[in-house]
Amino acid sequence: METGVGKFACAAEPRCEVVSVGNEQLPVLVVDGLAAEPELLLEYAAAAPGFSARAGDYYPGLRKPLPSAYTENLCATLDKTLREVFQLPSTAAAEPLLCALSIATTPAEKLRPIQRLPHFDSSDPNQLAVVHYLCPPQLGGTAFYRHRASGFESIDADRLYGYAAALKQQVMASPPQGYTSGDSQLFVQTARFDAQFNRALIYRGNQLHSGLINATTGLSADPRAGRLTATSFIRFTR
């Protein structure tokens, strides 16, 4: 039986694989065939109202809110798997912080400095990020990174201050250019995952990562042609 109804339903049994990444062996959950009818999500993305920029959002493009049913269905379908893979407290409640369709549109030359680097979403290890690809592989997946100077692949509360201060000095000395791709002077790519239509990646939000946004294939704002994803942040609270 599908979880939920209509365009936001999850498949009954999506295919799940856990990959351990980097020296820190951080888990990344790869879920293929997540949505029961992903084409309905494309229809929702293409319908009015359209996408828009969000103030204070570092995502290099536009967003469109998704109803909470999307994340509720995802959490219900994958609840047991998420708790096992990410060692979440059995009593923790899932709290959606973001649920939106996202489409990359910002030209490389217009990126802000912070958008040119691998990043983390939160220092809370109980906050998860979900990137659900609704686009073909050539528009770019997601990669994970190690900070060369510190060796950090994830940033928790204890690492946050020292890491942020060191990275600021490095960026001021040698400003990065363009979208993150592969190894750089400051970061080593530890793993990369290709986009596949209706595939989702789920990982801790404190893991250093970046979208592999291929500006050469175009940054179309058309949801049926651009790098469209459904993006969720989910915090598990006691």
Side-chain angles (χ1 to χ4, degrees):
M1 179 181 296
E2 296 174 359
T3 301
V5 294
K7 61 179 69 71
F8 306 114
C10 290
E13 296 182 359
R15 300 179 300 279
C16 296
E17 178 187 6
V18 182
V19 180
S20 296
V21 169
N23 293 339
E24 295 183 17
Q25 290 291 279
L26 302 168
V28 175
L29 179 62
V30 184
V31 184
D32 283 307
L34 175 61
E37 297 184 84
E39 293 79 9
L40 295 181
L41 282 169
L42 284 180
E43 290 181 10
Y44 182 85
F51 287 66
S52 61
R54 292 171 48 141
D57 191 344
Y58 292 120
Y59 180 75
L62 307 174
R63 305 266 205 195
K64 177 178 179 175
L66 272 172
S68 60
Y70 172 88
T71 307
E72 290 167 0
N73 291 339
L74 186 154
C75 289
T77 300
L78 298 175
D79 182 76
K80 182 180 179 182
T81 301
L82 295 178
R83 293 177 192 277
E84 290 177 352
V85 170
F86 299 102
Q87 300 179 340
L88 299 165
S90 60
T91 58
E95 177 189 359
L97 302 177
L98 172 70
C99 183
L101 291 164
S102 307
I103 188 163
T105 57
T106 304
E109 66 274 12
K110 293 187 177 180
L111 293 172
R112 289 177 283 179
I114 196 171
Q115 295 173 319
R116 302 171 188 262
L117 297 164
H119 66 280
F120 62 99
D121 305 314
S122 169
S123 60
D124 183 354
N126 289 335
Q127 180 173 316
L128 304 182
V130 183
V131 179
H132 182 189
Y133 302 106
L134 299 168
C135 61
Q138 65 267 24
L139 295 184
T142 300
F144 297 89
Y145 293 87
R146 178 187 310 119
H147 181 232
R148 290 183 185 272
S150 65
F152 295 161
E153 297 172 356
S154 61
I155 308 299
D156 60 16
D158 292 334
R159 293 176 172 182
L160 179 57
Y161 178 78
Y163 171 76
L167 184 62
K168 181 178 180 179
Q169 288 186 338
Q170 290 178 319
V171 169
M172 290 176 65
S174 180
Q177 302 297 316
Y179 280 103
T180 298
S181 179
D183 295 347
S184 70
Q185 183 178 347
L186 302 182
F187 292 90
V188 176
Q189 187 180 102
T190 59
R192 60 175 290 154
F193 295 83
D194 292 334
Q196 294 288 344
F197 185 72
N198 205 23
R199 165 179 288 176
L201 289 188
I202 306 178
Y203 49 90
R204 288 191 179 99
N206 71 350
Q207 191 168 349
L208 291 169
H209 63 278
S210 180
L212 293 171
I213 298 172
N214 189 346
T216 63
T217 60
L219 294 167
S220 175
D222 179 353
R224 296 188 180 278
R227 187 183 183 273
L228 179 68
T229 62
T231 306
S232 304
F233 295 156
I234 306 165
R235 181 169 58 202
F236 285 77
T237 57
R238 295 182 184 276

